[in-house]
Every structure is written in structure tokens, then in C-alpha cells.
Amino acid sequence: MSSEREKMAAGEWYCCLGDELDALRVKARFAVHQHNTLPPDERGSIGPLLGKLLKSAAASAFIEAPFHCSYGLNISLGERVYLNAGCTILDSGRVEIGAGSMLGPGVHIYCADHHRDITLRRQGIERARSVLIGKDVWIGGGIILPGVTIGDGAIVGAGSVVTKSVAPGDIVVGNPARSTRHK
């Protein structure tokens, strides 16, 4: 029998309301609180508790305050990754952000895919879908939905809602985000 955390990590349907996952979210809240309230000269590029919580973060990665995440343990940040103020990563799934990528203010990344059946959704049934952001990506602001991959060198215009994967080097804008390339 798999735990809800194991099911979450495997991308299976799981219940997000149990004690094990709640304890992990509480731990993340303390790390985020420390990051968001420490003076910048004490916080450094990433608050100490948050740095320990993340799956991985290059020494040159930088997260502005305020920042929020669900668990932290599913987030990987490459070299020179920059997250501007107000970024939120709901990381029930794996979130990887490649080297040199920049996220503008207020970028939200969502991994939770809630069940469509209302009875199951009321019971906290969801699945985690990874969000993968390549190298040298610029996200001006907006929302990245579960299961999206953004290819190397792509640009996401401010205010966009990215519902589908973005090809390397493409520029997408709008709600839903669409390529600016003429077909």
C-alpha cells in the first residue's frame, strides 16, 4: 500500500488532506515565513530553511520575497535562476527551472490537477503533474498550469495563462497563451 506522499510523487491520484502531507506543508510554511521576513542581508539569495527544503538550488539561484510554495521539496533551480517578488510554486509535482531562467513578478506555477468528479474533489483527491521550464526562459508574469513544459529560450508574455507546452525558442502571449509566430 502506497502512502499519499508516494502516490503524489508517482503522479497517481492521492488525497491531499492527510496528516503526512499536511506536516510537509507546515514545514514549508515555516521555511517560507523565514525567507519572507528575514532582512535581505541575513536571508541571502534564499532563506536558510527554504534552501534546505528545496530539492536542489544552485548557489547562484535567487528568490525575491515574498515567495510561497506548497512543499518546496519538489523544486529544483538551476544556475542563475531568478524568481522575482510574489512568485508562487504549488509544487505537489516536480518543478524544474533551468539555468539562466527568469520569472517575473507574480508568476504562479501550479502542479495540482484536482479531480473532475465533485465527490472525489470534495475528498481532496488530486494528482500532481510536473512543470518543467528549460534553460534561459523568460516568463514575464502569469500562470503556468499542471503538466506544462516550456522549452529552452522560450518567452512567456506578462499576464499569460500557459495551458499547453511551449516549444523551445517560441514566444507565447495571452489567455490561453498562444504562439506569436505566424503559421
Side-chain angles (χ1 to χ4, degrees):
M1 184 98 168
S2 298
S3 72
E4 299 307 306
R5 181 178 179 180
E6 290 168 332
K7 289 187 230 176
M8 180 177 80
E12 299 171 7
W13 293 103
Y14 68 96
C15 179
C16 66
L17 303 176
D19 292 340
E20 178 185 26
L21 294 177
D22 191 46
L24 291 172
R25 288 189 298 268
V26 167
K27 185 176 179 180
R29 285 185 204 114
F30 278 100
V32 165
H33 176 75
Q34 180 197 58
H35 173 84
N36 291 337
T37 58
L38 275 173
D41 61 331
E42 292 178 35
R43 179 182 68 231
S45 61
I46 301 174
L49 292 178
L50 185 57
K52 291 177 186 173
L53 188 66
L54 299 179
K55 181 175 182 180
S56 66
S60 59
F62 195 99
I63 302 175
E64 294 283 4
F67 171 76
H68 180 76
C69 64
S70 297
Y71 299 97
L73 53 88
N74 294 314
I75 300 171
S76 298
L77 306 176
E79 294 288 338
R80 302 172 328 282
V81 165
Y82 179 76
L83 277 60
N84 209 327
C87 286
T88 296
I89 301 177
L90 302 184
D91 64 307
S92 53
R94 180 172 52 116
V95 175
E96 294 181 5
I97 303 176
S101 290
M102 300 183 299
L103 279 61
V107 171
H108 287 207
I109 297 173
Y110 305 147
C111 292
D113 182 20
H114 299 281
H115 208 286
R116 304 308 182 263
D117 180 284
I118 193 167
T119 303
L120 294 173
R121 193 168 58 245
R122 282 182 185 147
Q123 296 170 17
I125 303 300
E126 64 185 33
R127 64 181 168 184
R129 299 181 62 209
S130 298
V131 172
L132 308 175
I133 298 171
K135 297 176 184 175
D136 301 310
V137 170
W138 176 25
I139 301 174
I143 298 170
I144 313 300
L145 293 183
V148 166
T149 296
I150 300 175
D152 293 347
I155 297 173
V156 175
S160 297
V161 177
V162 183
T163 61
K164 296 179 181 173
S165 292
V166 177
D170 204 356
I171 300 171
V172 297
V173 297
N175 180 5
R178 291 187 174 95
S179 177
T180 61
R181 295 181 184 177
H182 297 287
K183 296 183 180 189

